[in-house]
């Protein structure tokens, strides 16, 4: 069979809002790190210890309090530093002869591979908001994974779903892409019935 390659990417639409959130998280991450450093200095040098008596109850309580503060500030600084990159999200959808590959990209730097789905594991393809989609969402053995950073699709794209058997169970994978990606997959599979019956009836709603 002829080699097939198709790739699309979807980026965060509201870049200004993402930049503001990134800056806020970065500032609070730095502030938390500074407080953690101050707390550690207090543990090491700020609490007087009586050479004759040694560690008194008050001294131990002060050490514990500053250690707890230092630990909390370190955890908070790390969490905020990691979270700040989550606002500049993009997703890559790639179809390479028999495999639909989906990756998540943080801040245009770090890539996380999410799914590698062979076409024989794809059960159904359709539009988000259709009757088939709503029925699938109600199924207790199917989990939904939103693979776009946006709540409104770009002008030349729409929200579609791929119902597939993944390595972690059945999933409804929501993509923001052009129809060409889906039709590329369908043509390769040569299974027209993989498309939901009401596909050409646009639901007319946004996610």
């Amino acid at each position: 069979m002829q080699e097939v390659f198709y790739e699309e990417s979807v980026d965060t639409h509201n870049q200004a809002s993402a930049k503001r959130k990134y800056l806020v998280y970065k500032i609070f991450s730095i502030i938390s790190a500074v407080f953690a450093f101050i707390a550690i200095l207090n543990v090491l040098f700020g609490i007087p210890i009586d050479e004759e008596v040694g560690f008194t109850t008050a001294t131990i309580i002060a050490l514990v309090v500053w250690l707890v503060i230092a630990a909390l500030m370190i955890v908070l600084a790390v969490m905020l530093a990691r979270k700040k990159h989550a606002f500049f999200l993009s997703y890559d959808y790639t179809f390479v002869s028999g495999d639909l590959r989906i990756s998540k990209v943080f801040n245009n730097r770090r890539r996380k591979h999410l799914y590698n789905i062979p076409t024989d594991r794809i059960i159904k393809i359709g539009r988000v908001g259709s009757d088939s989609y709503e029925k699938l969402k109600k199924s207790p053995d199917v989990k939904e994974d939103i693979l776009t950073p946006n709540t409104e699709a770009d002008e030349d794209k729409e929200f579609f779903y791929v119902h597939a058997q993944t390595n972690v169970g059945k999933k409804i994978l929501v993509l923001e892409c052009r129809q060409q990606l889906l039709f590329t997959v369908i043509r390769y599979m040569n299974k027209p019935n993989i498309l939901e019956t009401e596909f050409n009836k646009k639901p007319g709603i946004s996610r």
Side-chain angles (χ1 to χ4, degrees):
M1 187 175 289
Q2 185 180 1
E3 184 77 12
V4 177
F5 178 84
Y6 184 87
E7 184 177 31
E8 276 196 34
S9 295
V10 57
D11 298 316
T12 301
H13 292 168
N14 196 338
Q15 295 286 327
S17 175
K19 288 179 181 178
R20 286 195 298 269
K21 291 176 182 177
Y22 175 87
L23 184 59
V24 168
Y25 273 69
K26 183 177 181 179
I27 290 171
F28 278 98
S29 174
I30 293 171
I31 291 173
S32 299
V34 170
F35 275 112
F37 181 70
I38 292 172
I40 291 172
L41 287 180
N42 271 283
V43 170
L44 296 175
F45 308 110
I47 302 174
I49 300 175
D50 194 311
E51 295 182 0
E52 295 182 3
V53 179
F55 287 92
T56 63
T57 301
T59 302
I60 293 173
I61 291 174
L63 285 171
V64 170
V65 169
W66 282 111
L67 282 171
V68 170
I69 292 174
L72 289 175
M73 290 297 102
I74 290 172
V75 171
L76 184 60
V78 172
M79 289 178 59
L80 292 172
R82 290 182 176 178
K83 181 67 175 176
K84 69 182 181 183
H85 296 297
F87 299 111
F88 284 100
L89 286 180
S90 60
Y91 289 83
D92 291 338
Y93 316 131
T94 306
F95 183 72
V96 181
S97 292
D99 290 303
L100 178 61
R101 303 170 186 176
I102 302 173
S103 297
K104 189 176 185 178
V105 183
F106 301 88
N107 207 26
N108 293 323
R109 296 178 182 176
R110 185 166 61 89
R111 175 183 296 271
K112 181 180 180 182
H113 181 70
L114 300 178
Y115 296 101
N116 187 20
I117 305 168
T119 50
D120 59 4
R121 291 193 175 187
I122 296 176
I123 303 168
K124 187 68 66 177
I125 293 174
R127 295 181 186 276
V128 170
S130 67
D131 291 340
S132 296
Y133 167 78
E134 296 299 336
K135 289 178 182 177
L136 281 173
K137 283 188 67 174
K138 295 176 182 178
S139 180
D141 63 334
V142 179
K143 303 296 183 183
E144 184 179 40
D145 196 355
I146 308 296
L147 303 172
T148 170
N150 304 309
T151 56
E152 293 185 3
D154 223 340
E155 290 184 1
D156 59 340
K157 298 178 182 179
E158 297 177 64
F159 291 123
F160 299 104
Y161 73 87
V162 176
H163 180 208
Q165 179 69 51
T166 72
N167 293 332
V168 290
K170 290 182 179 179
K171 290 272 192 175
I172 303 172
L173 307 177
V174 175
L175 315 179
E176 180 189 347
C177 63
R178 300 177 181 87
Q179 289 190 20
Q180 187 176 348
L181 171 62
L182 305 181
F183 292 154
T184 299
V185 175
I186 294 168
R187 280 196 298 269
Y188 184 89
M189 295 175 68
N190 196 24
K191 290 182 179 180
N193 61 340
I194 207 74
L195 202 63
E196 64 179 14
T197 54
E198 70 272 37
F199 183 80
N200 291 322
K201 298 178 182 179
K202 291 188 178 182
I205 62 172
S206 60
R207 224 176 21 86

